[in-house]
Amino acid sequence: MLLYRIARKQFINDLSGRGAELAGGRWNLKGTPAIYTSSSLALCICETLVHTDKDIPPINMCYAEIDVPDKCISEEFFNEVSLEHGLNIGTNWLKESQSLAIKVPSTLMPQTYTADFNVIINPRHKDFSKVKVLRTEEISFDMRLIKG
């Protein structure tokens, strides 16, 4: 499956999960590394911008196209929407290394919309070497998406 990730240029090839480990996320508590990706570049842009300070536009950003074998992506928690429950089950999933990657819903999309979704990748999973960055490109954001 082709997935997308956006990060600052100096971190775009860093697939250690360190950023999520330091900050935590919807599906992982601080202290647990994870790599957040999206099924489309458009959703990845939305996910990036929703977490961006509107007074400081993101600069020096890149996107990466990442390949993860379909058979390595679980759909076990796809319908989970509770933030608190998501943190617990996501953190447990990461610590137990149940699968290399897991499909999860985006809170930015209607609950019934399933065409675009996020995928969390476990950088500590035994099959992590199957994750491949296919290419990276610089990306800039249209100011109409940032300023009202």
Side-chain angles (χ1 to χ4, degrees), residues 10-36:
Q10 67 265 33
F11 300 117
I12 195 62
N13 289 304
D14 178 1
L15 296 182
S16 68
R18 182 77 173 136
E21 181 178 17
L22 291 172
R26 178 172 180 222
W27 295 93
N28 72 299
L29 293 168
K30 286 182 182 180
T32 307
I35 302 165
Y36 283 74

Side-chain angles (χ1 to χ4, degrees), residues 9-100:
K9 189 174 189 174
Q10 67 265 33
F11 300 117
I12 195 62
N13 289 304
D14 178 1
L15 296 182
S16 68
R18 182 77 173 136
E21 181 178 17
L22 291 172
R26 178 172 180 222
W27 295 93
N28 72 299
L29 293 168
K30 286 182 182 180
T32 307
I35 302 165
Y36 283 74
T37 65
S38 297
S39 62
S40 71
L41 183 55
L43 177 58
C44 197
I45 289 169
C46 291
E47 292 281 356
T48 299
L49 292 178
V50 79
H51 294 100
T52 299
D53 182 337
K54 302 307 180 236
D55 294 324
I56 306 170
I59 57 171
N60 298 322
M61 304 296 279
C62 290
Y63 74 88
E65 289 182 349
I66 300 171
D67 181 59
V68 177
D70 290 348
K71 65 181 181 181
C72 295
I73 301 174
S74 170
E75 294 190 26
E76 183 179 354
F77 304 133
F78 185 71
N79 292 316
E80 182 54 53
V81 294
S82 161
L83 178 59
E84 182 180 333
H85 194 64
L87 277 171
N88 292 332
I89 63 173
T91 299
N92 288 338
W93 170 80
L94 286 158
K95 287 181 176 180
E96 295 171 7
S97 277
Q98 296 174 16
S99 56
L100 173 60

Side-chain angles (χ1 to χ4, degrees), residues 98-111:
Q98 296 174 16
S99 56
L100 173 60
I102 193 159
K103 186 176 170 181
V104 296
S106 169
T107 58
L108 302 177
M109 298 293 157
Q111 191 171 357

